[in-house]
Amino acid sequence: MKYALYLGCAIPIKYPGFEATTRLVCERLGIELVDLPFACCPPGTSMKMVHYDSWLVLAARNLCVAEEAGLDVLTLCSGCVNTLKEANTILKKQDARRRKVNRVLEDHGRHFAGTIEVTHILDVLYQDAVVEKIVRKMEREVPLRVGCHYGCHYFRPPKYMYPEELSPSESYVPVKMDHLLSIIGVEPTEYSRKFLCCGSPLGANMDQDAGYAITRQKLGHIHDRNIQALSVICPSCFEQFDMGQVVLSRKFKDNRKVPVFYLTQLIGLALGMKYRELGLDVHRVKSRKLLEEIGMA
Amino acid sequence: MTTLRIWKHFPREDLYECYQCARCTGSCPAMEVAPAIGPRETILKCLNLGHQDVVEDERLWLCCTCNVCEDRCPQKIPISDLLVALRNSAARRGNIPARLVLAVELLAKTGRSMIVHQLDEMRAHHGLAPLPPAPIEEIRELLSKTGFREVIEF
Ligand code: SF4
Ligand code: SF4
């Protein structure tokens, strides 16, 4: 099992702990990762909104880099998977757009051919062969009530993200993270507004307070269900919940906090990895006490 | 001239299928916390007043890009594509939020959309090597050819 590792920007720059953990977890599970000269995805929340053609060409360049190496792309972020999967779908299906993009890329010796797929760490870990390895290599269970947050861009709009799997009128309801975590002894816990936005793009682009107002609503529903930890698969969602709780607790004098984990950190815990090794020491909302309660710190 | 281009990118006829039922706006997280326009209202304005009115309004940008609106729309109006087309048009007229300008400028200058102090130290803390530089020359040349300067100087 071999992929081109697409790091994106937020993970290697803001949350290198997720990168380190993911590399270690993949190594233990026999997933080979290859580093290639990728650039920014670029984000659907910024570049695409401002200049669509630039967004598509820069995304196509990343896809070409992976095509040249003959490898599928493994992303670690809901935003990156959104951009690269959507661009891949569009360029494979729409001849006029592909021709236009290739005219720009060809000056740089690149050509989009449509020979690879784009996937996300959650989808890679969810494969039968990997799940079997997790079960075999697991050293301990992680008995926590966890709320999963997938990040809108991981699965919407389904017409671009799952073009072959769904009819145009169907919605996609993601379940893989809940299922995967139940394998390592987690109790995946439902909560209201689970599939709605964390607030991040609104805060990043326009209005920080409005973004955090959305986060606060979600956190309220999370506390209602006595959820002990959150699991995310996107650095922007992570920041919104982790930093967001620090900001919100100051503003509203509310001390309830729920630690946030990046998915591979929870898998790493089950594989026997330690607090520092997982980079949990740099999270704003600390998880040490919680992990001590379940004998894991 | 630039304002008319939007309907080249988005089939205006699609909007006639809208029921104006407001299921989209009712699901919109941005509408709940900010004075956003909302997808139903955006479509109505585009149909009744022409989209000029919409692209000049800075509230057009109050959006999470979460695409819940399109997901829940009973008519499957391609709202996400409409919002991209409208915002691209707004950007050409200089209607872009300041934070977003900074974000895309950074991307065009560095090839990445994020910057921090002491990156190497941070990565070393997690046992990682420094991040290789982004292929910035190629990125800038590509952006010159796609016409990115129509919107942002870089
Ligand atoms: S949900 Fe669809 S049909 Fe209803 S108002 Fe919104 S866009 Fe129109
Ligand atoms: S994509 Fe924007 S307009 Fe649509 S529901 Fe989300 S925040 Fe509202």
Side-chain angles (χ1 to χ4, degrees):
Chain A
M1 206 171 286
K2 191 167 162 183
Y3 296 94
L5 176 63
Y6 184 82
L7 288 171
C9 297
I11 286 193
I13 295 176
K14 263 194 186 161
Y15 296 111
F18 302 174
E19 176 188 340
T21 302
T22 304
R23 287 184 190 274
L24 288 171
V25 164
C26 284
E27 195 184 305
R28 294 215 190 163
L29 298 175
I31 301 164
E32 194 184 334
L33 303 174
V34 179
D35 290 291
L36 296 173
F38 291 123
C40 181
C41 60
T45 50
S46 62
M47 190 60 124
K48 179 160 68 162
M49 293 298 151
V50 171
H51 201 260
Y52 183 93
D53 292 346
S54 298
W55 170 81
L56 191 61
V57 164
L58 292 195
R61 181 203 166 271
N62 284 322
L63 296 167
C64 288
V65 168
E67 284 185 357
E68 287 155 22
L71 291 170
D72 287 344
V73 177
L74 166 53
T75 60
L76 306 179
C77 161
S78 299
C80 300
V81 76
N82 186 270
T83 280
L84 297 178
K85 212 164 164 180
E86 175 164 334
N88 206 27
T89 302
I90 286 169
L91 292 169
K92 280 183 185 182
K93 288 194 166 180
Q94 302 183 11
D95 296 344
R97 277 204 164 124
R98 184 176 58 250
R99 276 197 299 273
K100 198 171 157 201
V101 163
N102 272 335
R103 272 200 295 277
V104 177
L105 289 173
E106 264 152 18
D107 293 343
H108 294 268
R110 301 195 191 274
H111 178 87
F112 176 90
T115 52
I116 55 127
E117 301 295 332
V118 176
T119 183
H120 184 284
I121 185 70
L122 173 58
D123 302 292
V124 168
L125 294 177
Y126 194 73
Q127 298 171 99
D128 288 349
V130 180
V131 169
E132 277 166 27
K133 275 228 168 93
I134 295 176
V135 172
R136 269 210 311 277
K137 302 216 164 184
M138 224 173 97
E139 289 184 11
R140 56 197 183 192
E141 297 217 314
V142 186
L144 290 172
R145 278 171 72 84
V146 171
C148 291
H149 171 85
Y150 288 85
C152 303
H153 298 108
Y154 166 71
F155 63 106
R156 281 193 287 257
K159 67 182 176 194
Y160 295 130
M161 302 306 281
Y162 307 95
E164 314 302 336
E165 288 168 50
L166 297 175
S167 79
S169 60
E170 267 177 298
S171 289
Y172 181 86
V173 181
V175 292
K176 287 184 186 175
M177 188 160 27
D178 293 78
H179 289 181
L180 188 68
L181 289 175
S182 68
I183 288 162
I184 58 162
V186 160
E187 188 187 331
T189 306
E190 296 297 325
Y191 59 96
S192 186
R193 293 192 176 223
K194 179 177 172 183
F195 300 108
L196 294 187
C197 179
C198 63
S200 166
L202 186 60
N205 286 348
M206 273 293 264
D207 184 339
Q208 201 64 262
D209 289 340
Y212 282 140
I214 293 176
T215 317
R216 187 164 177 242
Q217 285 178 339
K218 269 199 90 136
L219 285 166
H221 293 295
I222 286 161
H223 291 308
D224 284 348
R225 300 285 288 129
N226 295 318
I227 284 170
Q228 293 171 291
L230 291 179
S231 176
V232 298
I233 52 172
C234 169
S236 301
C237 303
F238 177 87
E239 182 172 29
Q240 193 68 16
F241 286 118
D242 189 54
M243 190 62 205
Q245 290 188 77
V246 175
V247 173
L248 290 168
S249 75
R250 257 187 230 136
K251 191 163 164 194
F252 295 100
K253 312 270 175 275
D254 181 351
N255 283 327
R256 291 176 303 173
K257 288 210 186 97
V258 45
V260 192
F261 294 86
Y262 184 74
L263 174 68
T264 51
Q265 291 176 321
L266 288 172
I267 304 289
L269 275 176
L271 295 177
M273 290 165 65
K274 299 280 180 303
Y275 193 78
R276 284 276 314 249
E277 197 182 3
L278 292 166
L280 293 171
D281 53 321
V282 302
H283 292 200
R284 299 299 299 264
V285 179
K286 301 293 180 215
S287 53
R288 193 179 277 283
K289 238 179 88 196
L290 180 68
L291 294 177
E292 269 164 14
E293 280 169 27
I294 57 166
M296 287 190 109
Chain B
M1 194 267 307
T2 46
T3 58
L4 291 175
R5 279 165 67 170
I6 168 172
W7 306 120
K8 274 197 345 202
H9 299 285
F10 182 89
R12 191 168 188 265
E13 305 73 51
D14 281 4
L15 301 185
Y16 302 146
E17 306 288 326
C18 172
Y19 293 147
Q20 286 292 301
C21 68
R23 200 172 170 190
C24 50
T25 294
S27 315
C28 172
M31 270 305 269
E32 223 180 324
V33 299
I37 309 181
R40 181 197 70 83
E41 297 73 1
T42 302
I43 291 172
L44 183 66
K45 283 188 178 202
C46 283
L47 289 172
N48 284 353
L49 306 168
H51 72 291
Q52 197 119 340
D53 208 57
V54 182
V55 298
E56 280 170 7
D57 193 328
E58 61 180 38
R59 292 173 302 169
L60 171 67
W61 294 94
L62 284 165
C63 167
C64 302
T65 68
C66 66
N67 292 326
V68 166
C69 45
E70 178 173 317
D71 208 39
R72 296 200 174 159
C73 169
Q75 288 291 78
K76 282 286 167 266
I77 309 277
I79 305 172
S80 55
D81 303 313
L82 171 70
L83 294 178
V84 171
L86 287 170
R87 293 191 190 122
N88 274 213
S89 171
R92 281 208 171 78
R93 304 165 70 93
N95 173 10
I96 319 179
R99 303 172 78 113
L100 200 46
V101 172
L102 290 178
V104 291
E105 269 176 4
L106 182 70
L107 207 169
K109 279 180 189 141
T110 66
R112 303 197 195 280
S113 35
M114 217 130 306
I115 196 162
V116 292
H117 293 299
Q118 299 182 310
L119 176 58
D120 290 355
E121 288 85 341
M122 257 176 77
R123 290 180 59 80
H125 174 80
H126 296 285
L128 293 168
L131 198 62
I136 186 60
E137 287 309 316
E138 188 181 350
I139 299 297
R140 289 174 69 87
E141 279 170 35
L142 289 173
L143 286 176
S144 300
K145 286 176 191 149
T146 55
F148 190 55
R149 285 203 175 82
E150 291 164 23
V151 189
I152 303 274
E153 257 321 303
F154 64 95

